[in-house]
Amino acid sequence: GAVVSQHPSWVICKSGTSVKIECRSLDFQATTMFWYRQFPKQSLMLMATSNEGSKATYEQGVEKDKFLINHASLTLSTLTVTSAHPEDSSFYICSALSSYEQYFGPGTRLTVT
Amino acid sequence: RKEVEQDPGPFNVPEGATVAFNCTYSNSASQSFFWYRQDCRKEPKLLMSVYSSGNEDGRFTAQLNRASQYISLLIRDSKLSDSATYLCVVNIPTSGTYKYIFGTGTRLKVLA
């Protein structure tokens, strides 16, 4: 099946710093990628839809200036958490769309201290 | 009303039991439906797509009821390894494309 990678797999950062997470589709091109966030014992919450070559579409309640998404190529989307705070600590998962099927990355566990 | 709703469980069943989960969705324009499985602290893995005519894959059967706007997953002869959280996913049309919304997930524990 299709493979999606995420980097880093886990990161610890200090409050106020920015963290960039990369999502790559390794063996297919994805014009659309999704970014999700999952808090402990909760389901995945869609944060934004990332479209190659255009601005991301953010879900209600997700601050676009805080969670910067760049989909610069058909195989790479990045999520930057700017000025991170402890409440941003979460599991961030991306997925890439191929023929209406989503392929998920392994996730990035972010801890903000 | 939530876009996609599931009973969070947990469902505790003995090995060999048959268990069924339901998932309701609110947008009648939704086109694609999926069941995913998620193990603790891992990414979701596609279990099966759900087709209008219903589909079966080994011990797993998925069904779609468009009139009542729900999908179901039936697991027969439960194994210990089936213990996980089962997420239903529904695609919702938006601005000329689709977005995929997850249900809250249903936790299943299969007991020896």
Side-chain angles (χ1 to χ4, degrees), chain A residues 36 38 43 59 101 104-105, chain B residues 38 43 46 99-100 102-103:
Chain A
Y36 294 86
Q38 186 175 34
S43 188
E59 293 300 297
E101 195 166 317
F104 285 87
Chain B
Q38 186 177 28
E43 77 276 21
L46 179 65
K99 60 182 181 181
Y100 292 75
F102 279 75

Side-chain angles (χ1 to χ4, degrees), chain A residues 1-10 20-30 33-35 71 73-79 91-97 102-109, chain B residues 43 45:
Chain A
V3 178
V4 175
S5 71
Q6 262 184 261
H7 178 80
S9 55
W10 60 270
K20 179 187 281 189
I21 303 170
E22 291 185 350
C23 177
R24 293 181 186 273
S25 56
L26 298 183
D27 53 0
F28 67 101
Q29 294 184 326
M33 292 184 174
F34 301 96
W35 286 97
H71 195 152
S73 76
L74 288 172
T75 59
L76 173 65
S77 176
T78 61
L79 168 68
F91 191 46
Y92 292 85
I93 305 178
C94 73
S95 70
L97 197 60
Q102 286 189 97
Y103 295 92
F104 285 87
T108 297
R109 195 161 298 281
Chain B
E43 77 276 21
K45 301 278 191 190

Side-chain angles (χ1 to χ4, degrees), chain A:
Chain A
V3 178
V4 175
S5 71
Q6 262 184 261
H7 178 80
S9 55
W10 60 270
V11 58
I12 301 173
C13 71
K14 291 188 176 180
S15 189
T17 60
S18 296
V19 174
K20 179 187 281 189
I21 303 170
E22 291 185 350
C23 177
R24 293 181 186 273
S25 56
L26 298 183
D27 53 0
F28 67 101
Q29 294 184 326
T31 53
T32 302
M33 292 184 174
F34 301 96
W35 286 97
Y36 294 86
R37 179 167 54 180
Q38 186 175 34
F39 292 108
K41 298 190 177 181
Q42 294 186 26
S43 188
L44 280 74
M45 298 299 296
L46 179 65
M47 298 176 68
T49 302
S50 168
N51 296 300
E52 188 267 339
S54 63
K55 290 183 180 180
T57 303
Y58 290 81
E59 293 300 297
Q60 195 171 12
V62 178
E63 300 174 56
K64 60 180 67 175
D65 294 329
K66 180 170 180 61
F67 298 99
L68 301 178
I69 292 173
N70 184 7
H71 195 152
S73 76
L74 288 172
T75 59
L76 173 65
S77 176
T78 61
L79 168 68
T80 301
V81 183
T82 62
S83 187
H85 290 284
E87 57 265 30
D88 297 325
S89 299
S90 186
F91 191 46
Y92 292 85
I93 305 178
C94 73
S95 70
L97 197 60
S98 175
S99 301
Y100 295 102
E101 195 166 317
Q102 286 189 97
Y103 295 92
F104 285 87
T108 297
R109 195 161 298 281
L110 170 64
T111 301
V112 184
T113 60

Side-chain angles (χ1 to χ4, degrees), chain B residues 55-87:
Chain B
N55 47 303
E56 187 174 307
D57 182 3
R59 297 182 293 109
F60 299 85
T61 301
Q63 291 195 311
L64 166 65
N65 184 318
R66 284 193 185 273
S68 301
Q69 295 183 198
Y70 76 84
I71 62 173
S72 64
L73 176 68
L74 182 79
I75 305 175
R76 289 181 297 278
D77 188 22
S78 300
K79 311 290 185 192
L80 294 176
S81 57
D82 293 334
S83 298
T85 296
Y86 292 84
L87 301 156

